[in-house]
C-alpha cells in the first residue's frame, strides 16, 4: 500500500485535530501540512505537492471552493475531499472534480468509504510516466523573455507588474533565501503588514500559476519557517549565466576563437533588465555592463592589432551605442577612423562626445581625449 501525502485545511483548530486523528486511524497517511488559513495552504502546495487535500468550505479570506480552484492550477494531480457542515455546495464541488464530499460531524464508516476510493484512485495513477521535460532559456538582457527550445523568445503575460517584478527579484537572488519582510518592504512599503502579507500570498500564487501555464520549469519554494522563499531553476538556463561563463571559458581573444568572442558581444542585447526601473537591479546591471565593456574592448583591440579595421569599427560603434560616455570606446573609435583615412568621422565623433558630455552631464572632455585630439588636429593641418 502506498503512503499518501495529505494537506488538511480548516479554520477551526479542533476540527483539524479531529480530522487528523480519524485519518491516521483509518489509513497509512502522511499529514505533511495542516492549515487554518487557506491562503497559506495555497502558497505551500507548490513545494509539497500533496496527493490529497481535505478541506472545509466555510473559511475566511477565501472559501474551500475558491481554494480548490487555485490549488488545482498549481498542483493539478491532487485529489480533493471536502469535509464540511454545509451540504448545499456538493454539486459545485463535484463539478470541480472533487473526489468526495463529507458532512460533519465525521462518521468513521463514511470516512472509510472515502479512504478506499482515494487509495483506488491513487493506485491507478501511481505508474504514470513523468512528463517530458521542457528546455527553456530565461532571457534577462534588456527585458524578461522566455524561449522554449525551437521557438522564438517571448514575454509572458503577467497578471500584474508586481508579479513580474517579484519573479525578476527572486530570479536575481536565485538559490538564496529571500525573506518575506524584504519582499513586502520592496513592493508594499506603506501597506499594513497583515494586508501586505495577504497580497504576497496572492502574488506568489499568481506567479506560480503563470509559470506553470507557460511551462517554465522553475520552483518557488517556501522555507525557513514560512518566513522566506527560494527560486530554484529546474530544467532552465539563464542567459546571463551562460554568457558570463562563455567569456570565462574562452579566455583571451586569439586567432582561433575571436569569432566566438564576437558572438558573445552580440549576445549582450541590452543592459540587464534595462527596460525596467528596478532600483534593486542596478548593482547587477552595472556589474554585467562592466564585464561586457571590458570584454568588448579586448575584442576591439584584437581587431585593431590585426588590422581588421572594419571589424574594429563595428565593435567600437557598439560600445559607444551601449556605453555613450565611455572615454575608451569613443577614443578607440576616433583612432580607427583616423587609420581608415576618415578625418571627417574623427571630427564628428569628437564633437558628438564633447556636446553630449556638456549637455547631459555638465562636464568637459578628459585630458586624455582632448590632448589626443589636439595632437591629431595639429598633425592634419
Amino acid at each position: 500500500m502506498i503512503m499518501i501525502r495529505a494537506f488538511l485545511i480548516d479554520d477551526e483548530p479542533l476540527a483539524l485535530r479531529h480530522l487528523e486523528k480519524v485519518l491516521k486511524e483509518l489509513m497509512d497517511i502522511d499529514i505533511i501540512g495542516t492549515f487554518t488559513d487557506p491562503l497559506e495552504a495555497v502558497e505551500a502546495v507548490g513545494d509539497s505537492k500533496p496527493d490529497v487535500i481535505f478541506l472545509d468550505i466555510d473559511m475566511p479570506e477565501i472559501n474551500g471552493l475558491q481554494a480548490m480552484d487555485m490549488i488545482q492550477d498549481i498542483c493539478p494531480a491532487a485529489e480533493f475531499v471536502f469535509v464540511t457542515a454545509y451540504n448545499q455546495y456538493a454539486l459545485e464541488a463535484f463539478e470541480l472534480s472533487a473526489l468526495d464530499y463529507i458532512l460533519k460531524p465525521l462518521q468513521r464508516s463514511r470516512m472509510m468509504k472515502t479512504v478506499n476510493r482515494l487509495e483506488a484512485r491513487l493506485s491507478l495513477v501511481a505508474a504514470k510516466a513523468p512528463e517530458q521535460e521542457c528546455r527553456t532559456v530565461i532571457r534577462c538582457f534588456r527585458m524578461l523573455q522566455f524561449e522554449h527550445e525551437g521557438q522564438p523568445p517571448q514575454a509572458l503575460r503577467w497578471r500584474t507588474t508586481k508579479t513580474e517584478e517579484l519573479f525578476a527579484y527572486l530570479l536575481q537572488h536565485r538559490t538564496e533565501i529571500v525573506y518575506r519582510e524584504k519582499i513586502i518592504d520592496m513592493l508594499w512599503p506603506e501597506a499594513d503588514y497583515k494586508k501586505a502579507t495577504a497580497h504576497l500570498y496572492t502574488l506568489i500564487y499568481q506567479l506560480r500559476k503563470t509559470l506553470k501555464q507557460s511551462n517554465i520549469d522553475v520552483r518557488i519554494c517556501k522555507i525557513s519557517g514560512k518566513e522566506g522563499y527560494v527560486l530554484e531553476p529546474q530544467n532552465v538556463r539563464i542567459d546571463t549565466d551562460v554568457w558570463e561563463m562563455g567569456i570565462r571559458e574562452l579566455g583571451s581573444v586569439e586567432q582561433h576563437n575571436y569569432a566566438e568572442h564576437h558572438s558573445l558581444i552580440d549576445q549582450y542585447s541590452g543592459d540587464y533588465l534595462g527596460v525596467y526601473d528596478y532600483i534593486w537591479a542596478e548593482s547587477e546591471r552595472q556589474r554585467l555592463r562592466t564585464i561586457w565593456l571590458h570584454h568588448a574592448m579586448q575584442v576591439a583591440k584584437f581587431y585593431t592589432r590585426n588590422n581588421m579595421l572594419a571589424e574594429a569599427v563595428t565593435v567600437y560603434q557598439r560600445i559607444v551605442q551601449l556605453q555613450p560616455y565611455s572615454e575608451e570606446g569613443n577614443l578607440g573609435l576616433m583612432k580607427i577612423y583616423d587609420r581608415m583615412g576618415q578625418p571627417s568621422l574623427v571630427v564628428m565623433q569628437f564633437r558628438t562626445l564633447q556636446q553630449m558630455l556638456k549637455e547631459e552631464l555638465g562636464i568637459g572632455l578628459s585630458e586624455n581625449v582632448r590632448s589626443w585630439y589636439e595632437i591629431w588636429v595639429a598633425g592634419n593641418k
Side-chain angles (χ1 to χ4, degrees):
M1 185 177 296
I2 61 173
M3 172 68 77
I4 295 175
R5 293 156 48 85
F7 266 19
L8 311 184
I9 310 172
D10 197 312
D11 62 315
E12 298 179 5
L14 288 177
L16 268 181
R17 287 197 291 270
H18 180 58
L19 176 59
E20 183 173 2
K21 180 176 181 293
V22 171
L23 287 170
K24 288 183 175 179
E25 289 174 353
L26 295 178
M27 64 188 301
D28 191 13
I29 191 168
D30 181 14
I31 309 295
I32 58 174
T34 60
F35 303 88
T36 57
D37 184 342
L39 284 173
E40 287 192 7
V42 171
E43 185 184 18
V45 73
D47 302 331
S48 303
K49 291 184 170 53
D51 301 308
V52 60
I53 298 163
F54 294 85
L55 70 168
D56 193 10
I57 292 280
D58 186 29
M59 293 184 290
E61 301 292 340
I62 59 173
N63 64 37
L65 295 169
Q66 292 170 317
M68 176 180 175
D69 187 43
M70 295 170 75
I71 291 171
Q72 280 182 321
D73 288 328
I74 304 168
C75 191
E79 301 291 347
F80 292 83
V81 176
F82 285 99
V83 183
T84 179
Y86 301 89
N87 61 10
Q88 64 265 38
Y89 300 104
L91 180 59
E92 190 174 352
F94 286 119
E95 285 178 347
L96 288 173
S97 302
L99 178 72
D100 211 343
Y101 192 99
I102 305 171
L103 290 176
K104 297 177 180 178
L106 286 181
Q107 301 293 325
R108 279 174 170 74
S109 59
R110 176 66 181 84
M111 180 61 81
M112 194 65 223
K113 293 180 180 179
T114 301
V115 168
N116 292 336
R117 184 179 302 171
L118 176 62
E119 290 177 342
R121 177 76 65 88
L122 294 178
S123 294
L124 288 175
V125 299
K128 183 181 178 182
E131 296 183 0
Q132 184 177 2
E133 292 184 341
C134 173
R135 295 187 60 83
T136 304
V137 176
I138 302 176
R139 302 203 173 278
C140 302
F141 286 126
R142 187 173 172 272
M143 66 182 297
L144 269 176
Q145 290 185 306
F146 300 81
E147 180 181 340
H148 290 301
E149 195 168 32
Q151 300 178 15
Q154 60 182 358
L156 295 189
R157 283 190 166 185
W158 301 98
R159 180 71 177 272
T160 65
T161 57
K162 288 188 186 299
T163 311
E164 183 175 24
E165 182 173 3
L166 177 57
F167 174 79
Y169 187 78
L170 293 174
L171 183 67
Q172 178 167 311
H173 297 276
R174 52 193 172 276
T175 72
E176 302 175 12
I177 299 175
V178 178
Y179 289 97
R180 182 170 60 189
E181 287 75 11
K182 178 69 174 179
I183 299 173
I184 289 174
D185 184 60
M186 178 181 70
L187 296 178
W188 304 281
E190 306 298 329
D192 174 77
Y193 185 78
K194 185 175 181 180
K195 290 182 179 179
T197 301
H199 290 327
L200 179 56
Y201 289 158
T202 303
L203 209 62
I204 291 290
Y205 160 72
Q206 292 172 351
L207 174 53
R208 286 170 169 156
K209 182 177 180 180
T210 299
L211 293 172
K212 181 175 180 59
Q213 289 177 339
S214 303
N215 203 21
I216 308 297
D217 196 3
V218 171
R219 294 181 62 197
I220 310 296
C221 303
K222 184 179 182 183
I223 61 170
S224 187
K226 303 179 181 179
E227 297 299 323
Y229 301 88
V230 172
L231 183 146
E232 296 181 351
Q234 301 296 302
N235 190 38
V236 301
R237 293 175 293 154
I238 293 114
D239 65 344
T240 53
D241 290 347
V242 175
W243 174 79
E244 194 171 351
M245 185 178 299
I247 291 176
R248 289 199 305 267
E249 291 180 346
L250 273 179
S252 59
V253 187
E254 306 290 347
Q255 283 288 347
H256 69 278
N257 64 9
Y258 71 83
E260 288 86 350
H261 276 288
H262 197 121
S263 176
L264 288 168
I265 292 175
D266 293 338
Q267 288 176 31
Y268 191 102
S269 56
D271 282 338
Y272 171 75
L273 301 179
V275 301
Y276 310 99
D277 57 352
Y278 301 153
I279 296 175
W280 50 262
E282 186 55 35
S283 60
E284 180 68 0
R285 189 176 295 136
Q286 182 60 43
R287 187 185 73 85
L288 293 172
R289 184 188 299 146
T290 301
I291 292 173
W292 181 85
L293 180 58
H294 175 76
H295 176 250
M297 286 300 307
Q298 299 309 305
V299 176
K301 289 175 180 178
F302 169 84
Y303 286 146
T304 303
R305 288 194 305 270
N306 288 273
N307 207 35
M308 301 168 69
L309 301 186
E311 292 83 353
V313 165
T314 298
V315 177
Y316 275 123
Q317 286 176 337
R318 183 75 190 286
I319 290 171
V320 170
Q321 177 189 12
L322 293 179
Q323 305 289 326
Y325 306 125
S326 169
E327 173 187 316
E328 194 175 13
N330 279 278
L331 184 55
L333 187 54
M334 285 186 274
K335 290 179 178 179
I336 293 296
Y337 285 152
D338 176 44
R339 288 182 59 175
M340 295 175 70
Q342 299 285 343
S344 62
L345 294 180
V346 176
V347 174
M348 182 184 299
Q349 192 65 36
F350 176 82
R351 291 177 177 174
T352 298
L353 176 62
Q354 184 180 47
Q355 182 178 1
M356 180 177 58
L357 291 175
K358 180 180 179 180
E359 293 181 354
E360 298 182 14
L361 300 182
I363 62 175
L365 291 162
S366 70
E367 182 60 30
N368 188 35
V369 174
R370 184 182 299 277
S371 62
W372 181 89
Y373 184 74
E374 289 174 351
I375 295 171
W376 176 82
V377 170
N380 283 272
K381 285 184 178 179

